[in-house]
Amino acid sequence: MRDLVRAVVAFRDRRDWRQFHQPKDLAVSIALEAAELLEHFQWKTADEAARYLRVRRNRDRVAAERADVLILLISLADVLGEDLVAAARRKLRSNDRKYPVARARGTAKKYHALRARPA
Amino acid sequence: MRDLVRAVVAFRDRRDWRQFHQPKDLAVSIALEAAELLEHFQWKTADEAARYLRVRRNRDRVAAERADVLILLISLADVLGEDLVAAARRKLRSNDRKYPVARARGTAKKYHALRARPA
Amino acid sequence: MRDLVRAVVAFRDRRDWRQFHQPKDLAVSIALEAAELLEHFQWKTADEAARYLRVRRNRDRVAAERADVLILLISLADVLGEDLVAAARRKLRSNDRKYPVARARGTAKKYHALRARPA
Amino acid sequence: MRDLVRAVVAFRDRRDWRQFHQPKDLAVSIALEAAELLEHFQWKTADEAARYLRVRRNRDRVAAERADVLILLISLADVLGEDLVAAARRKLRSNDRKYPVARARGTAKKYHALRARPA
């Protein structure tokens, strides 16, 4: 991961693109790449999505969209001087408290819905 | 990163949430978390965004949204049996070819617009 | 509809909000409201979505999100001096050519996939 | 508008596409079309966006994306048996209460931020 972060920053700086990396514009681009990822599943049932993903070429295209999102997340963390992975570790610990295993097990409910009902 | 992937998978499995992690639903959730990240910049100019991000509490909230996107990307790569970081490295190499330094330097043009004009 | 457009513009102008209605910021807000609409369906199967929508209160909330998107579309058309409904009529005619009934009937394929195969 | 709604429904039914119009899938498509609209503004400053929109061809493409969102909103309202315009009128009245002119005038603050401070 550390290597990837370095590669992302080097890619950007060799092109002198740091100037375009306003946090708002990076956030816009993350949303747009997330939409391109989602587009692969448009109008598909779960079964059709599974069949689609059995084809190697499609899986590679989905992986490339996912990569675009990750590269932009790294870029956003970089311009804000932060560590993407450390923040994710903190968030996971916070989710651990928000979604206690005893209540959250086997349900897709959001944490505020979880809190509203007995364990 | 390897630790983070393990932690994300363990978090999911302790809650028996693997059953909800259909690729399409993960892609929907990635788009939704990306929107929550973008929401921090809604109606803000670049200056207002910079001022907003100077406040620690805001920066932490933005980092938490970014973390949510990353956690879901890891989850999607996991259910497809793929390596998120390796795919990003491949994508970066492909971008290296799509955006040759000589043409892409200092311009925010898309690669198809770059190809259309002389170097 | 004409009344609605007038009401949207009057709502905006009474608050002196025209100054915030940069086309880019309106486009960002349209994407964000579309995400709030989509959020109602997050982690739901088709059956669960149907059950959710049978509850009046949920249907009203979904209608309110839909309304937010429409209000922003009207606002964007207004700042660009255009007619939202006329453009939709034109688009529908263009879709009529892109998706000929003989080929498009009963299939969710995109128009470029439709063109690739015999009628 | 009434004519447009009729045309949208007729377009769909001639192609036998009602079967694909699950509310969740329509919501996904609305988010995707909103992203395509936003894409026109990616990496652009307000000035660059204004210049871009001065070109007729670009304005037409933006209008077409806006139309796609509207057509899908109409489709979603239709499968739920609801009136898109009536809901928007109701939402506007509710916004009127959430954003009282005296407090909201000239500020882009959200309603919960507005409530927190004196008029």
Side-chain angles (χ1 to χ4, degrees), chain B residues 24-25 28 39 42 110, chain D residues 24-25 28 39 42 110:
Chain B
K24 181 176 179 170
D25 278 307
V28 165
E39 208 180 337
Q42 194 182 16
K110 292 247 166 146
Chain D
K24 181 176 179 169
D25 279 307
V28 165
E39 207 180 337
Q42 194 183 15
K110 291 245 166 148

Side-chain angles (χ1 to χ4, degrees), chain C residues 50-114:
Chain C
R51 216 173 315 136
Y52 180 79
L53 289 168
R54 242 173 271 135
V55 178
R56 175 60 184 260
R57 206 181 106 86
N58 296 335
R59 230 164 41 234
D60 285 351
R61 291 165 66 208
V62 167
E65 309 289 9
R66 225 163 41 217
D68 280 331
V69 181
L70 178 58
I71 289 167
L72 287 162
L73 287 175
I74 290 171
S75 304
L76 179 55
D78 182 78
V79 297
L80 298 177
E82 285 165 18
D83 185 319
L84 180 65
V85 171
R89 247 187 249 122
R90 274 198 307 277
K91 190 65 202 314
L92 210 55
R93 277 196 296 272
S94 136
N95 283 351
D96 229 1
R97 287 188 297 272
K98 266 164 83 178
Y99 294 93
V101 171
R103 291 185 185 194
R105 208 178 155 77
T107 165
K109 288 206 181 71
K110 291 248 167 145
Y111 67 93
H112 37 80
L114 283 179

Side-chain angles (χ1 to χ4, degrees), chain A residues 45-106:
Chain A
T45 62
D47 278 0
E48 288 163 345
R51 215 172 316 135
Y52 180 79
L53 289 169
R54 244 173 270 135
V55 179
R56 175 59 184 259
R57 206 182 106 86
N58 296 334
R59 231 165 41 235
D60 285 350
R61 291 165 66 208
V62 167
E65 309 288 8
R66 224 164 41 218
D68 280 331
V69 181
L70 177 58
I71 289 167
L72 287 162
L73 287 176
I74 290 171
S75 303
L76 179 55
D78 181 77
V79 298
L80 298 177
E82 286 166 17
D83 185 319
L84 180 65
V85 171
R89 248 187 248 121
R90 274 197 308 276
K91 190 65 202 312
L92 210 55
R93 277 196 297 272
S94 137
N95 283 351
D96 229 3
R97 288 186 298 273
K98 267 164 83 179
Y99 295 93
V101 170
R103 291 186 184 195
R105 208 178 155 77

Side-chain angles (χ1 to χ4, degrees), chain D:
Chain D
M1 183 72 179
R2 209 166 286 254
D3 283 356
L4 179 62
V5 172
R6 256 196 297 266
V8 167
V9 169
F11 176 89
R12 178 196 73 195
D13 289 341
R14 270 199 306 275
R15 282 157 189 81
D16 199 15
W17 281 358
R18 177 72 177 70
Q19 60 182 314
F20 303 120
H21 281 199
Q22 297 287 345
K24 181 176 179 169
D25 279 307
L26 287 167
V28 165
S29 288
I30 290 166
L32 294 180
E33 295 295 345
E36 292 191 13
L37 174 59
L38 180 53
E39 207 180 337
H40 288 274
F41 301 98
Q42 194 183 15
W43 304 120
K44 286 191 181 69
T45 62
D47 278 0
E48 288 163 344
R51 216 173 315 134
Y52 180 79
L53 289 169
R54 242 172 272 134
V55 178
R56 175 60 184 261
R57 205 181 106 85
N58 296 335
R59 232 167 38 237
D60 285 351
R61 289 165 67 209
V62 167
E65 309 288 8
R66 226 164 40 220
D68 279 332
V69 181
L70 177 58
I71 289 168
L72 287 162
L73 287 175
I74 290 171
S75 303
L76 179 54
D78 181 77
V79 297
L80 299 177
E82 285 164 18
D83 185 318
L84 180 65
V85 171
R89 249 188 247 119
R90 274 198 307 278
K91 189 66 203 314
L92 210 55
R93 278 196 295 272
S94 138
N95 283 351
D96 230 1
R97 288 187 297 272
K98 268 163 82 178
Y99 295 93
V101 171
R103 292 186 184 195
R105 208 179 155 75
T107 165
K109 287 206 181 73
K110 291 245 166 148
Y111 67 95
H112 38 79
L114 283 179
R115 278 188 304 195
R117 45 193 63 236

Side-chain angles (χ1 to χ4, degrees), chain A residues 17, chain B residues 98-100 103-104 107 109-118:
Chain A
W17 282 357
Chain B
K98 266 163 84 178
Y99 294 93
R103 292 186 185 194
T107 166
K109 287 205 180 73
K110 292 247 166 146
Y111 67 94
H112 38 80
L114 283 178
R115 278 187 304 194
R117 46 193 62 236

